[in-house]
Amino acid sequence: MRSSARPFAALLAALTLTAGLFATGAPASARANDVAPAAEASDVSLAADTYDWKNVRIDGGGFVPGIVFNRSEKNLAYARTDIGGAYRWDQAGKQWTPLLDWVDWDHWGWTGVVSLASDSADPDNVYAAVGTYTNSWDPNNGAVLRSSDRGASWKATELPFKIGGNMPGRGMGERLAVDPNKNSVLYLGAPSGNGLWRSTDSGATWSEVTAFPNPGNYAQDPADTSGYGNDNQGIVWVTFDERTGSAGSATQDIYVGVADKDNTVYRSTDGGATWSRIAGQPTGYLSHKGVLDSDNGYLYLTLSDTGGPYDGGKGRIWRYATATGAWTDVSPVAEADTYYGFSGLSVDRQHPGTLMATAYSSWWPDTQIFRSTDSGATWTQAWDYSSYPNRTNRFTQDVSSVPWLTWGANPAPPETTPKLGWMTEALEIDPFDSNRMMYGTGATIYGTENLTNWDSGSQFKITPMVKGLEETAVNDLASPPSGAPLLSALGDIGGFRHTDLDAVPGMMFTSPNLTSTTSLDFAEASPNTVVRVGSADAAPHIGFSTDNGSNWFQGSEPAGVTGGGTVAAAADGSGFVWSPEGAGVHRTTGFGSSWSASTGIPAGATVESDRKNPRKFYGYKAGTFYVSTDGGATFTAKAAAGLPVEGNVRFKAVPGIEGDVWLAGGSATGAYGLWHSTDSGATFTKLSGIGQADSVGFGKAAAGASYQTLFVTAKIDGVRGVFRSTDAGSTWTRINDDAHQWGWIGASITGDPRVYGRVYVSTNGRGIMYGDSSDGDGGGTDPGTDPGTDPGNPPGDGACSVTYKVTNQWSGGFQADVTLTNTGTEALDGWQLGWTFADGQKVTQMWNATPTQDGAKVKAASISWNGKVAPGASVGFGFTGTLAGGNAAPAAFALGDEACATG
């Protein structure tokens, strides 16, 4: 796996998105409450339901280019990903907590994190520079996010330029840095020739450091005209020498790395007023990292002849003596013996003079990690050749917690499985614990807690330290009526058969191994029959399973296939229709031993199957719907008017009903919405009130309902979100909230045919999210259950119950979720929930409700889209607050003037 998402995936996303930015400095924890959504005429009735959201566990799956430890507080660490957001380390659970799930559809690029900075003067402060692409693929400018509660809530400042978390060179850094002596001062290195920027008000406003002389000049591929490979990688890291300042006074000596092979390091000795190129520095390389050992007065550089993270053929490590100006090449191997660049770099703060570095671009036979205990004078390495091709390792490696990291491989020496990694641009030694080290790879975070065994001659143990960090880009999802509850099609690691949503699967799909699976399907009436297609370095691009995805065998393919495209299985598993890249639409009977070209349908059409009639298949391209009634041999175009001609379009047929098709998609410049056909696409009806829709799926029907539950990612009544309908689209319930948005989620959605309300949502970098409803079976309160008479709760006199839960707490602050349930027989139409804090807590920010507070008394009022709550339904909201001492839960809640039961 070479990256966590191909740039093309983001380009597809960009085609369907419209720009819209938070106001500068506006609270960004969940679409700021003072920014009202645009009104949009609609006859769609919106209700609200409370969902519990989790990741389907995979653990990792993408590139982790940055790990940051706070230098003043033990166990406070952060990780950044190129498309999957930022995370904070939870020491108690030894797992990662996601921090950017609030990023919304319009700002999907903010899930790409270019850099992170943790404030050593005030550990509650953390900053993130966000944006995914510097070219037209991302419609928005970048931003600097700032948090004073360790990422529980954020404020955003839009930048006047783009920055690229998924651009070439993203493993260099950190480009964002906080002055350790005067923490109101921050610096940010910008790409694309935009230079060096500075904030003097803790990240609220930014201005260019016009005195900085060099905005960089290196591009990965100057001949590329897309704006991707030919982008100037710019200013790539900032490092302070904390000895040259004092508390409250700005640090005077600042070092900056530049993507310029002849001028890669600059220094200021007057707090950033003036800058100069450091004389005598190495040339011909880019400095990926610049780390200062202030105890010994050394600045170390890891260098590569390219910007990475994939490429790099030569590299060096140099040391600069800050007192004398002397440069020394301290590389662990001769330049002639390198076939890789150096990047990951860390100094042991407990034992100055001990440092480590990585050979990030050593793809074969493995990455290499180097360690020195004498300031780079001598080095040892993680593995050596004993007698080629055999290796001697200084480490043991246990991936039993994430077993798919072996890739199911059985390589010949000197390769091993699992590998130490690749794209190892982030490596950090815990500043408080010399035994703990973490490093990022293209697929995971590895770490050890007995690192100093390296120096004593015994082996240290490497294990995945990635739990909670989910970073896959999801292309397709399927939930069969029997067998595994979920099958996934993923970028870069292929996909999985998920038999337990809360456990890491044992192995990705193999035989064939597809680098990225683009589409999969199962036979509705024979769910053990499964097909998947995707990209691969060579044929085959298709695999079949007859045991629900447990085991696979390779299929043949038509001539000219270059990529996966889309694939559909007949309802009874008797045949398949495939629309691959590089070739036209084809059909096969059996399991792909031979293929014949379909007629009447254009190349590149999206294909699906009818879920009732095994002879019926559907196709779609550029506004025209196609139908086959002979197993995909011939297709007929249907003249349905008004369908989207441009943009991404996804459609699905309803299980068990022949000819029942739902179609979602379009673009902001043309037709865009949700359409329904009950006659196999001969006619389509557009649903009113749905301004935009991007994916549609089906799940188990609600109690008493005759039609399957619908799920869509859509914009309804001006609100973007994940929606559910139990009455064939007449009314809709938003089931996510502003704290759970996950950026771009348009690729795939499906309900679970066995569990009412359960939905699986694709993301472009945050893995697979699944949600379960608190609404039970959708039929209201369970007969015989009176929520107000639980012996453990004081009875309320109102038709309501409230659950209050503190979900996170830190020094001086906390986060809580509140669920209000309508236990009466009439719908609520607008609500206001009140309570009193006992310990002086103050609400600082609230999402999905509007807060007012008078002393200890708090009121939370409904907002435009969640004021209507049906009998038996629930609505949820959350908030962050400050603490003055204790944090006791409120003893009572009132809906207007009526007391609610608590539980």
Side-chain angles (χ1 to χ4, degrees), residues 123-142:
D124 285 343
N125 295 333
V126 62
Y127 301 86
V130 296
T132 299
Y133 297 102
T134 60
N135 61 4
S136 61
W137 299 345
D138 190 336
N140 295 334
N141 282 349

mmCIF file of all heavy atoms in Angstrom, residues 123-142:
data_model
loop_
_atom_site.group_PDB
_atom_site.id
_atom_site.type_symbol
_atom_site.label_atom_id
_atom_site.label_comp_id
_atom_site.label_asym_id
_atom_site.label_seq_id
_atom_site.Cartn_x
_atom_site.Cartn_y
_atom_site.Cartn_z
ATOM 1 N N PRO A 123 -0.413 22.885 27.869
ATOM 2 C CA PRO A 123 -0.746 21.645 27.157
ATOM 3 C C PRO A 123 -2.204 21.521 26.728
ATOM 4 O O PRO A 123 -2.525 20.634 25.934
ATOM 5 C CB PRO A 123 -0.386 20.557 28.181
ATOM 6 C CG PRO A 123 0.632 21.185 29.067
ATOM 7 C CD PRO A 123 0.207 22.615 29.185
ATOM 8 N N ASP A 124 -3.092 22.381 27.237
ATOM 9 C CA ASP A 124 -4.467 22.331 26.760
ATOM 10 C C ASP A 124 -4.588 22.820 25.322
ATOM 11 O O ASP A 124 -5.574 22.526 24.645
ATOM 12 C CB ASP A 124 -5.374 23.185 27.652
ATOM 13 C CG ASP A 124 -5.678 22.517 28.982
ATOM 14 O OD1 ASP A 124 -5.471 21.295 29.108
ATOM 15 O OD2 ASP A 124 -6.119 23.224 29.907
ATOM 16 N N ASN A 125 -3.613 23.582 24.856
ATOM 17 C CA ASN A 125 -3.672 24.155 23.517
ATOM 18 C C ASN A 125 -3.092 23.196 22.485
ATOM 19 O O ASN A 125 -1.999 22.636 22.673
ATOM 20 C CB ASN A 125 -2.882 25.462 23.446
ATOM 21 C CG ASN A 125 -3.475 26.553 24.320
ATOM 22 O OD1 ASN A 125 -4.677 26.558 24.585
ATOM 23 N ND2 ASN A 125 -2.634 27.471 24.766
ATOM 24 N N VAL A 126 -3.813 23.024 21.401
ATOM 25 C CA VAL A 126 -3.306 22.235 20.274
ATOM 26 C C VAL A 126 -3.784 22.917 18.995
ATOM 27 O O VAL A 126 -4.854 23.534 18.963
ATOM 28 C CB VAL A 126 -3.783 20.767 20.341
ATOM 29 C CG1 VAL A 126 -5.296 20.647 20.269
ATOM 30 C CG2 VAL A 126 -3.125 19.929 19.258
ATOM 31 N N TYR A 127 -2.953 22.823 17.962
ATOM 32 C CA TYR A 127 -3.221 23.493 16.697
ATOM 33 C C TYR A 127 -3.077 22.493 15.558
ATOM 34 O O TYR A 127 -2.267 21.558 15.626
ATOM 35 C CB TYR A 127 -2.242 24.651 16.477
ATOM 36 C CG TYR A 127 -2.292 25.699 17.561
ATOM 37 C CD1 TYR A 127 -1.532 25.562 18.728
ATOM 38 C CD2 TYR A 127 -3.101 26.822 17.434
ATOM 39 C CE1 TYR A 127 -1.575 26.520 19.725
ATOM 40 C CE2 TYR A 127 -3.150 27.791 18.439
ATOM 41 C CZ TYR A 127 -2.393 27.628 19.580
ATOM 42 O OH TYR A 127 -2.447 28.577 20.567
ATOM 43 N N ALA A 128 -3.850 22.703 14.499
ATOM 44 C CA ALA A 128 -3.758 21.850 13.319
ATOM 45 C C ALA A 128 -3.873 22.711 12.071
ATOM 46 O O ALA A 128 -4.768 23.560 11.976
ATOM 47 C CB ALA A 128 -4.862 20.785 13.330
ATOM 48 N N ALA A 129 -2.966 22.498 11.141
ATOM 49 C CA ALA A 129 -3.053 23.118 9.819
ATOM 50 C C ALA A 129 -3.718 22.112 8.895
ATOM 51 O O ALA A 129 -3.231 20.988 8.742
ATOM 52 C CB ALA A 129 -1.667 23.492 9.309
ATOM 53 N N VAL A 130 -4.851 22.486 8.289
ATOM 54 C CA VAL A 130 -5.672 21.524 7.572
ATOM 55 C C VAL A 130 -5.976 21.986 6.153
ATOM 56 O O VAL A 130 -6.062 23.180 5.864
ATOM 57 C CB VAL A 130 -6.992 21.242 8.325
ATOM 58 C CG1 VAL A 130 -6.718 20.599 9.670
ATOM 59 C CG2 VAL A 130 -7.814 22.513 8.496
ATOM 60 N N GLY A 131 -6.172 21.019 5.283
ATOM 61 C CA GLY A 131 -6.456 21.215 3.872
ATOM 62 C C GLY A 131 -5.880 20.013 3.146
ATOM 63 O O GLY A 131 -4.828 19.501 3.538
ATOM 64 N N THR A 132 -6.541 19.528 2.108
ATOM 65 C CA THR A 132 -6.102 18.279 1.494
ATOM 66 C C THR A 132 -5.300 18.476 0.218
ATOM 67 O O THR A 132 -4.298 17.808 0.006
ATOM 68 C CB THR A 132 -7.313 17.365 1.224
ATOM 69 O OG1 THR A 132 -7.939 17.068 2.481
ATOM 70 C CG2 THR A 132 -6.882 16.050 0.607
ATOM 71 N N TYR A 133 -5.716 19.406 -0.645
ATOM 72 C CA TYR A 133 -5.012 19.608 -1.913
ATOM 73 C C TYR A 133 -4.788 21.098 -2.157
ATOM 74 O O TYR A 133 -5.624 21.936 -1.799
ATOM 75 C CB TYR A 133 -5.807 19.011 -3.081
ATOM 76 C CG TYR A 133 -5.973 17.524 -2.974
ATOM 77 C CD1 TYR A 133 -7.174 16.966 -2.540
ATOM 78 C CD2 TYR A 133 -4.928 16.661 -3.275
ATOM 79 C CE1 TYR A 133 -7.325 15.592 -2.420
ATOM 80 C CE2 TYR A 133 -5.061 15.290 -3.149
ATOM 81 C CZ TYR A 133 -6.262 14.764 -2.724
ATOM 82 O OH TYR A 133 -6.391 13.406 -2.591
ATOM 83 N N THR A 134 -3.677 21.412 -2.823
ATOM 84 C CA THR A 134 -3.383 22.805 -3.153
ATOM 85 C C THR A 134 -3.873 23.170 -4.541
ATOM 86 O O THR A 134 -3.774 24.329 -4.942
ATOM 87 C CB THR A 134 -1.876 23.076 -3.066
ATOM 88 O OG1 THR A 134 -1.185 22.224 -3.994
ATOM 89 C CG2 THR A 134 -1.348 22.812 -1.664
ATOM 90 N N ASN A 135 -4.399 22.209 -5.291
ATOM 91 C CA ASN A 135 -4.909 22.505 -6.628
ATOM 92 C C ASN A 135 -6.439 22.554 -6.610
ATOM 93 O O ASN A 135 -7.069 22.604 -5.543
ATOM 94 C CB ASN A 135 -4.385 21.494 -7.650
ATOM 95 C CG ASN A 135 -4.814 20.069 -7.340
ATOM 96 O OD1 ASN A 135 -5.572 19.830 -6.394
ATOM 97 N ND2 ASN A 135 -4.354 19.118 -8.123
ATOM 98 N N SER A 136 -7.049 22.482 -7.774
ATOM 99 C CA SER A 136 -8.493 22.666 -7.882
ATOM 100 C C SER A 136 -9.299 21.513 -7.316
ATOM 101 O O SER A 136 -10.525 21.630 -7.172
ATOM 102 C CB SER A 136 -8.871 22.861 -9.353
ATOM 103 O OG SER A 136 -8.518 21.714 -10.121
ATOM 104 N N TRP A 137 -8.665 20.390 -6.990
ATOM 105 C CA TRP A 137 -9.421 19.259 -6.455
ATOM 106 C C TRP A 137 -10.097 19.608 -5.132
ATOM 107 O O TRP A 137 -11.145 19.064 -4.812
ATOM 108 C CB TRP A 137 -8.496 18.055 -6.255
ATOM 109 C CG TRP A 137 -7.862 17.568 -7.520
ATOM 110 C CD1 TRP A 137 -8.219 17.877 -8.798
ATOM 111 C CD2 TRP A 137 -6.746 16.676 -7.628
ATOM 112 N NE1 TRP A 137 -7.401 17.236 -9.694
ATOM 113 C CE2 TRP A 137 -6.483 16.487 -9.007
ATOM 114 C CE3 TRP A 137 -5.947 16.018 -6.696
ATOM 115 C CZ2 TRP A 137 -5.448 15.670 -9.461
ATOM 116 C CZ3 TRP A 137 -4.924 15.198 -7.148
ATOM 117 C CH2 TRP A 137 -4.681 15.026 -8.522
ATOM 118 N N ASP A 138 -9.481 20.479 -4.359
ATOM 119 C CA ASP A 138 -10.082 20.942 -3.105
ATOM 120 C C ASP A 138 -10.629 22.338 -3.350
ATOM 121 O O ASP A 138 -9.864 23.253 -3.654
ATOM 122 C CB ASP A 138 -9.027 20.955 -1.991
ATOM 123 C CG ASP A 138 -9.613 21.198 -0.614
ATOM 124 O OD1 ASP A 138 -10.704 21.799 -0.531
ATOM 125 O OD2 ASP A 138 -8.973 20.809 0.381
ATOM 126 N N PRO A 139 -11.935 22.544 -3.233
ATOM 127 C CA PRO A 139 -12.504 23.861 -3.555
ATOM 128 C C PRO A 139 -12.213 24.936 -2.519
ATOM 129 O O PRO A 139 -12.412 26.119 -2.800
ATOM 130 C CB PRO A 139 -14.009 23.584 -3.625
ATOM 131 C CG PRO A 139 -14.216 22.416 -2.719
ATOM 132 C CD PRO A 139 -12.986 21.566 -2.873
ATOM 133 N N ASN A 140 -11.740 24.551 -1.340
ATOM 134 C CA ASN A 140 -11.578 25.509 -0.252
ATOM 135 C C ASN A 140 -10.112 25.813 0.020
ATOM 136 O O ASN A 140 -9.224 25.014 -0.270
ATOM 137 C CB ASN A 140 -12.194 24.964 1.037
ATOM 138 C CG ASN A 140 -13.692 24.803 0.932
ATOM 139 O OD1 ASN A 140 -14.336 25.485 0.155
ATOM 140 N ND2 ASN A 140 -14.252 23.902 1.711
ATOM 141 N N ASN A 141 -9.887 26.964 0.627
ATOM 142 C CA ASN A 141 -8.567 27.269 1.160
ATOM 143 C C ASN A 141 -8.301 26.445 2.408
ATOM 144 O O ASN A 141 -9.218 25.877 3.016
ATOM 145 C CB ASN A 141 -8.455 28.755 1.499
ATOM 146 C CG ASN A 141 -8.239 29.612 0.260
ATOM 147 O OD1 ASN A 141 -7.977 29.104 -0.827
ATOM 148 N ND2 ASN A 141 -8.353 30.921 0.418
ATOM 149 N N GLY A 142 -7.049 26.403 2.796
ATOM 150 C CA GLY A 142 -6.685 25.750 4.038
ATOM 151 C C GLY A 142 -7.073 26.590 5.242
ATOM 152 O O GLY A 142 -7.572 27.717 5.117
#
